[in-house]
């Protein structure tokens, strides 16, 4: 397999780069290059003129059916893991809002899910990884061996080397279904109260309406979920208790023109979504697919944001900074910048770890189509996030200035020093890491 | 459960065939030159589908080893998928004699040699099925790939003839002509979408063609018409084309 040229953009459709792609055992003769899996980061974290793609390395290498530990090559996707292991009563310990991410990407971004408040990040469930460094050596890294490298790589955005293999602890389930409770909350105050009052639920996330004015500001639908036990399943599901998700997908057929998405259409969508939920509280039994991956049902849904592309702005604020959260939501509303799906979630305690994003507090994520005036607006948000002791998620980022990173990630400078010590030539660089000035 | 032998198990098409057969619950025998590299693939198929998978060393360029290779199999396979092929960097050139020999040896001589041994085993047992991945390139010699095309033409003729022979001796042979395929080899190439099949489509067409005892399978039906047209262009015109 020789390298080939390909136009590459990640999930946000911007930036588009002409890259030379290497696969399998091929490596560029020299850096900089970056490993890339499914390209589900939003911005430029997996962009570079030279890329090593893990797509050709997706074998499962070992599975221990007693312990539930799966060892696999880093290109394997969460989608394939679910297809294979849900029927055997195992689930992912942590999953993001899409199953189309690779193991390597999940570790490098140290992704989180709806269960972060109780179960932590993806890397908390990884026993070890095999990492290939700039010299081509393969190092097994875990909490016992090469511990520092393990920690630098968890959330390290691929800047420490190529993740080749991952050993992941799967989570036992009895059924493929989720007991879901949804609660309609009238405003931000109630939303936060309800989130805190339901921390004992395994999965918890709130969809919030950023554009609702005045007293209704921050109204939301809070979704809570618990894996259903076998005896909780109604008879009609009993013979398909461990049914994996469907592999069928409908594609969004074309890029919507830029004007289709405006504050009116977003307001209407949010209004309908909120008011569709008539009773105060609903209990339902749903399959894991619509619960965890509602958007995976539509392939290429990123096209609704048009050809110019879009970005997601996700930040976290410490738990005592609710006034900061209110200010940010007010700023969004004042600019009419609400997005279709603004998601609010509580992170549990999390040890500080180099570039890893989650820390205890509230995280809010929203999509914005790219436009000339967006940067001005996002730097306003940056200032508020910083002022209130928060930070922004690198996996979604496309434009953060380096000063923001250094000011909001207390160990970023240390990370920068350490990767320099490991590899003075800085072999592994993404457009993002160059933009963030992470290479000394 | 059938025992299915896949010759040339490294390619994307071979992998797609292996996944589909394993999903159906069949046992797999994977054969390839770099057979140590097959280990992750073997593990992967075993874990995903819970079927037995065994690996064998096989080199299409060493025909003298083929008889021993077939005898070393646990038994005569029920289905054989011949997937290996070699296009090389110079499929239409006079200046690379080593490469030219290799194209003929792998695609034609190697394929014939191993299929002779396998077909004989099937004849002795009175049953069996063989699918050979040939190419639309074999339907008319072209300026751009006459070496590859002629070797595949030979393979197609061999498979067609073997099918007729097998009809009287209890086994079936299917000739598969995929057209363009989206694989690791063609990644980054600008292939016309409607004419390009995914490895999964090739696998599906191959397996179902074999089971339905079809003779010649075009993975995408449109290729039947394209090749019909190309075959019928008068030679005086065709030789001037840049095809």
């Amino acid at each position: 397999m020789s390298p080939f040229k390909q136009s590459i953009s990640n999930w946000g459709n911007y930036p588009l780069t002409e890259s030379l792609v290497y696969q399998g055992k091929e490596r560029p003769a020299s850096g900089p290059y970056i490993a890339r899996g499914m390209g589900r980061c939003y911005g430029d974290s997996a962009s570079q003129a030279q890329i090593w793609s893990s797509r050709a390395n997706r074998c499962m290498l070992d599975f221990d059916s007693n312990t539930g530990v799966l060892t696999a090559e880093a290109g394997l996707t969460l989608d394939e893991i679910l297809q294979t292991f849900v029927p055997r009563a195992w689930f992912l310990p942590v999953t993001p809002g899409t199953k189309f991410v690779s193991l390597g990407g999940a570790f490098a971004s140290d992704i989180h899910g709806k269960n972060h408040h109780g179960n932590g990040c993806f890397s908390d469930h990884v026993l070890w990884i095999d990492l290939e460094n700039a010299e081509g050596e393969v190092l097994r890294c875990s909490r016992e061996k090469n511990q520092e490298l393990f920690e630098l790589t968890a959330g390290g955005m691929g800047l420490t080397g190529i993740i080749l293999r991952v050993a992941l602890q799967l989570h036992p389930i009895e059924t493929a279904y989720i007991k879901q409770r949804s609660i309609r909350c009238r405003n931000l105050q109630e939303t936060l109260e309800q989130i805190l009052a339901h921390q004992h639920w395994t999965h918890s996330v709130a969809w919030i309406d950023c554009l609702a004015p005045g007293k209704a500001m921050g109204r939301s639908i809070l979704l809570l979920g618990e894996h259903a036990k076998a005896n909780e399943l109604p008879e009609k599901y009993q013979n398909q208790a461990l049914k994996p998700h469907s592999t069928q997908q409908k594609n969004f057929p074309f890029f919507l023109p830029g004007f289709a998405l405006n504050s009116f259409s977003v307001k209407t969508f949010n209004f309908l979504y909120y008011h569709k939920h008539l009773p105060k509280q609903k209990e339902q039994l749903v399959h894991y697919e619509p619960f965890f991956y509602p958007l995976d049902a539509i392939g290429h849904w990123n096209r609704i944001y048009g050809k110019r592309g879009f970005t997601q702005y996700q930040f976290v604020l410490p738990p005592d900074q609710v006034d900061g959260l209110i200010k940010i939501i007010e700023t969004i509303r004042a600019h009419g910048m609400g997005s279709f799906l603004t998601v609010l979630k509580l992170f549990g305690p999390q040890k500080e770890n180099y570039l890893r994003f989650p820390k205890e507090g509230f995280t809010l994520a929203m999509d914005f189509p790219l436009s000339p005036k967006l940067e001005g607006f996002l730097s306003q948000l940056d200032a508020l996030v910083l002022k209130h002791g928060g930070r922004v998620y690198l996996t979604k980022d496309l434009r953060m200035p380096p000063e923001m990173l250094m000011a909001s990630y207390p160990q970023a400078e240390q990370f920068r020093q350490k990767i320099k010590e490991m590899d003075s030539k800085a072999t592994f660089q993404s457009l993002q890491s160059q933009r963030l000035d992470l290479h000394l | 459960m059938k025992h299915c032998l896949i010759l040339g198990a490294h390619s994307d098409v071979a992998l797609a065939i292996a996944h589909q057969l394993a999903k159906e619950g069949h046992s797999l025998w994977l054969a390839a030159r770099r057979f140590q590299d097959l280990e992750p693939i073997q593990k992967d198929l075993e874990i995903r589908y819970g079927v037995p998978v065994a690996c064998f060393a096989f080199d299409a360029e060493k025909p003298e080893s083929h008889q021993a290779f077939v005898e070393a199999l646990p038994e005569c396979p029920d289905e054989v998928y011949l997937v290996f092929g070699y296009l090389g960097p110079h499929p239409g050139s006079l200046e690379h004699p080593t490469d030219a020999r290799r194209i003929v040896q792998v695609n034609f001589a190697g394929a014939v040699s191993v299929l002779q041994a396998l077909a004989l085993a099937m004849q002795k047992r009175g049953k069996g099925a063989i699918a050979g991945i040939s190419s639309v390139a074999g339907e008319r010699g072209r300026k751009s790939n006459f070496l590859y095309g002629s070797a595949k033409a030979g393979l197609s003729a061999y498979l067609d003839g073997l099918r007729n022979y097998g009809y009287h001796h209890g086994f079936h042979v299917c000739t598969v002509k995929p057209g363009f395929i989206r694989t690791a080899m063609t990644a980054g190439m600008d292939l016309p979408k409607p004419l390009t099949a995914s490895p999964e489509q090739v696998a599906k067409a191959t397996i179902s063609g074999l089971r339905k005892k079809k003779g010649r399978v075009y993975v995408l039906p449109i290729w039947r018409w394209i090749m019909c047209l190309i075959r019928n262009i008068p030679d005086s015109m065709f030789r001037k084309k840049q095809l």
Side-chain angles (χ1 to χ4, degrees):
Chain A
M1 277 186 289
S2 43
F4 53 90
K5 275 245 175 251
Q6 201 174 9
S7 303
I8 285 182
S9 62
N10 299 314
W11 192 240
N13 290 321
Y14 185 88
L16 187 69
T17 54
E18 268 300 312
S19 302
L20 203 52
V21 181
Y22 295 78
Q23 285 190 317
K25 290 181 178 167
E26 302 280 336
R27 299 287 181 274
S30 64
Y33 68 97
I34 193 79
R36 182 176 190 268
M38 295 288 281
R40 283 291 174 126
C41 61
Y42 280 64
D44 49 3
S45 320
S47 299
Q48 188 51 273
Q50 298 187 109
I51 278 169
W52 179 80
S53 166
S54 67
R55 300 291 296 133
N57 296 79
R58 48 208 292 195
C59 286
M60 300 183 185
L61 301 173
D62 185 53
F63 180 67
D64 184 330
S65 55
N66 295 314
T67 60
V69 174
L70 170 69
T71 307
E73 293 181 316
L76 185 72
T77 64
L78 304 191
D79 172 64
E80 293 170 281
I81 295 178
L82 291 169
Q83 266 315 325
T84 307
F85 292 104
V86 166
R88 298 180 216 176
W90 294 97
F91 202 76
L92 296 163
V94 164
T95 175
T98 173
K99 53 192 177 301
F100 301 116
V101 300
S102 67
L103 283 176
F107 192 83
S109 289
D110 211 354
I111 54 168
H112 56 269
K114 295 176 169 63
N115 59 351
H116 182 276
H117 55 286
N119 299 76
C121 285
F122 186 79
S123 71
D124 292 323
H125 306 269
V126 170
L127 281 70
W128 53 261
I129 57 165
D130 277 345
L131 184 77
E132 181 184 306
N133 64 17
E135 279 80 51
E137 288 170 279
V138 179
L139 301 165
R140 181 145 304 181
C141 310
S142 67
R143 285 173 198 83
E144 292 79 41
K145 212 174 135 193
N146 295 318
Q147 183 196 357
E148 186 175 80
L149 200 48
F150 182 86
E151 284 166 1
L152 284 163
T153 307
M157 307 308 287
L159 304 177
T160 55
I162 298 181
I163 301 170
L164 292 178
R165 283 172 284 272
V166 176
L168 177 69
Q169 174 68 60
L170 298 184
H171 176 76
I173 50 171
E174 289 186 21
T175 76
Y177 292 84
I178 303 286
K179 273 189 303 178
Q180 174 183 296
R181 176 183 292 175
S182 45
I183 303 170
R184 189 157 58 109
C185 309
R186 288 187 307 261
N187 52 41
L188 188 65
Q189 168 103 28
E190 193 183 340
T191 303
L192 298 178
E193 279 168 16
Q194 293 284 8
I195 290 175
L196 291 170
H198 290 89
Q199 281 186 67
H200 56 284
W201 282 72
T202 305
H203 300 285
S204 155
V205 71
W207 162 86
I208 89 168
D209 179 356
C210 269
L211 292 177
K215 272 191 210 161
M217 188 196 79
R219 67 182 174 190
S220 73
I221 310 287
L222 173 62
L223 288 178
L224 304 160
E226 218 50 81
H227 288 281
K229 300 253 182 284
N231 59 15
E232 291 166 337
L233 229 47
E235 201 152 325
K236 63 174 175 175
Y237 292 149
Q238 285 292 354
N239 58 354
Q240 43 176 329
L242 289 166
K243 184 180 80 165
H245 60 271
S246 136
T247 48
Q248 304 271 312
Q249 208 188 20
K250 285 202 170 65
N251 279 331
F252 198 83
F254 53 87
F255 283 95
L256 270 190
F259 62 81
L261 211 73
N262 51 44
S263 78
F264 176 74
S265 61
V266 173
K267 262 184 200 157
T268 312
F269 174 86
N270 280 329
F271 180 87
L272 291 172
Y273 192 95
Y274 181 78
H275 287 281
K276 187 184 84 153
H277 197 277
L278 276 177
K280 178 76 191 153
Q281 183 170 321
K282 261 199 296 197
E283 309 271 345
Q284 280 167 290
L285 190 74
V286 296
H287 191 259
Y288 72 81
E289 172 153 53
F291 184 80
F292 288 110
Y293 314 111
L295 288 173
D296 279 353
I298 311 152
H300 300 294
W301 65 257
N302 49 351
R303 289 176 179 166
I304 67 167
Y305 289 101
K307 276 198 173 146
R308 264 205 277 189
F310 73 112
T311 187
Q312 188 174 83
Y313 191 80
Q314 179 171 3
F315 64 90
V316 56
L317 292 187
D320 55 356
Q321 298 294 324
V322 172
D323 52 329
L325 195 59
I326 293 171
K327 261 185 235 153
I328 290 173
I329 295 175
E330 274 170 354
T331 309
I332 295 167
R333 207 180 69 77
H335 284 76
M337 296 294 277
S339 85
F340 275 119
L341 286 155
T342 302
V343 171
L344 177 69
K345 139 132 219 88
L346 177 70
F347 281 155
Q350 181 88 53
K351 192 177 140 261
E352 196 65 35
N353 183 76
Y354 301 109
L355 298 188
R356 173 159 71 197
F357 169 65
K359 65 173 178 179
E360 187 167 17
F362 290 100
T363 180
L364 196 67
M366 54 224 142
D367 297 339
F368 299 113
L370 296 182
S371 72
K373 56 179 186 177
L374 184 66
E375 179 50 34
F377 165 68
L378 292 182
S379 35
Q380 278 187 45
L381 296 192
D382 278 355
L384 285 167
V385 168
L386 207 51
K387 185 174 159 213
H388 292 276
R391 62 184 174 216
V392 172
Y393 190 8
L394 291 176
T395 299
K396 314 282 178 76
D397 164 59
L398 175 67
R399 34 68 51 194
M400 193 199 313
E403 306 76 49
M404 172 82 183
L405 176 82
M406 289 300 161
S408 57
Y409 282 77
Q411 296 182 356
E413 182 54 43
Q414 236 179 311
F415 181 86
R416 183 155 71 166
Q417 299 286 351
K418 293 234 154 112
I419 59 170
K420 168 81 180 172
E421 282 165 31
M422 278 163 42
D423 172 22
S424 57
K425 281 185 283 184
T427 308
F428 305 104
Q429 302 186 23
S430 60
L431 294 188
Q432 180 179 50
S433 72
Q434 291 170 342
R435 172 169 56 77
L436 290 170
D437 204 10
L438 275 166
H439 306 285
L440 289 168
Chain B
M1 184 166 78
K2 289 177 182 160
H3 297 296
C4 304
L5 171 66
I6 301 179
L7 296 164
H10 277 302
S11 73
D12 289 355
V13 169
L15 276 184
I17 290 175
H19 274 266
Q20 204 160 316
L21 292 170
K23 205 172 192 171
E24 291 171 8
H26 301 303
S27 106
L28 297 178
W29 299 340
L30 308 178
R33 193 154 43 94
R34 290 170 285 121
F35 97 112
Q36 307 87 326
D37 292 0
L38 287 174
E39 196 189 326
I41 295 167
Q42 172 190 12
K43 288 270 163 56
D44 183 63
L45 291 163
E46 285 174 345
I47 295 170
R48 283 188 206 230
Y49 307 107
V51 294
V53 181
C55 300
F56 300 89
F58 169 75
D59 190 342
E61 285 179 271
K62 295 200 176 113
E64 65 282 2
S65 69
H66 290 177
Q67 187 59 40
F69 161 76
V70 172
E71 281 164 12
L73 295 173
E75 57 182 292
C76 174
D78 298 298
E79 287 178 358
V80 170
Y81 295 86
L82 180 134
V83 191
F84 64 80
Y86 177 69
L87 178 64
H90 316 287
S93 160
L94 299 178
E95 274 136 47
H96 302 87
T98 324
D99 208 50
R101 266 198 302 279
R102 189 159 181 219
I103 288 174
V104 176
Q105 262 160 12
V106 174
N107 294 303
F108 182 65
V112 168
S113 135
V114 70
L115 288 184
Q116 285 287 97
L118 286 162
L120 183 63
M122 287 182 176
Q123 176 180 341
K124 281 181 188 155
R125 207 169 65 149
K127 65 171 186 170
I130 297 170
I133 308 284
S134 188
S135 171
V136 295
E139 301 208 3
R140 186 157 194 182
R142 282 160 46 200
K143 171 178 173 289
S144 61
N145 67 2
F146 56 88
L147 288 165
Y148 180 76
S150 61
K152 286 295 195 184
L155 177 62
S156 293
Y158 173 78
L159 291 168
D160 290 350
L162 189 62
R163 169 166 57 255
N164 303 338
Y165 178 89
Y167 181 81
H168 302 280
H169 294 89
F171 62 91
H172 177 67
V173 179
C174 177
T175 315
V176 184
K177 299 177 182 179
F180 298 135
I181 313 176
R182 217 174 298 114
T183 66
M185 216 166 30
T186 62
M189 280 190 204
D190 195 18
L191 298 176
K193 244 186 179 166
L195 305 184
T196 308
S198 66
E200 289 72 30
Q201 276 175 305
V202 179
K204 206 172 158 200
T206 303
I207 294 169
S208 84
L210 191 63
R211 302 268 161 86
K212 288 182 190 151
K213 298 218 158 147
K214 285 195 179 161
R216 294 174 185 168
V217 172
Y218 286 88
V219 173
L220 298 175
I222 186 166
W223 277 102
R224 187 182 295 275
W225 306 109
I226 293 174
M227 293 324 291
C228 177
L229 198 80
I230 287 184
R231 277 196 309 270
N232 287 298
I233 298 173
D235 194 72
S236 54
M237 273 169 76
F238 196 73
R239 68 178 75 159
K240 293 174 195 146
K241 299 265 176 234
Q242 288 300 327
L243 285 164

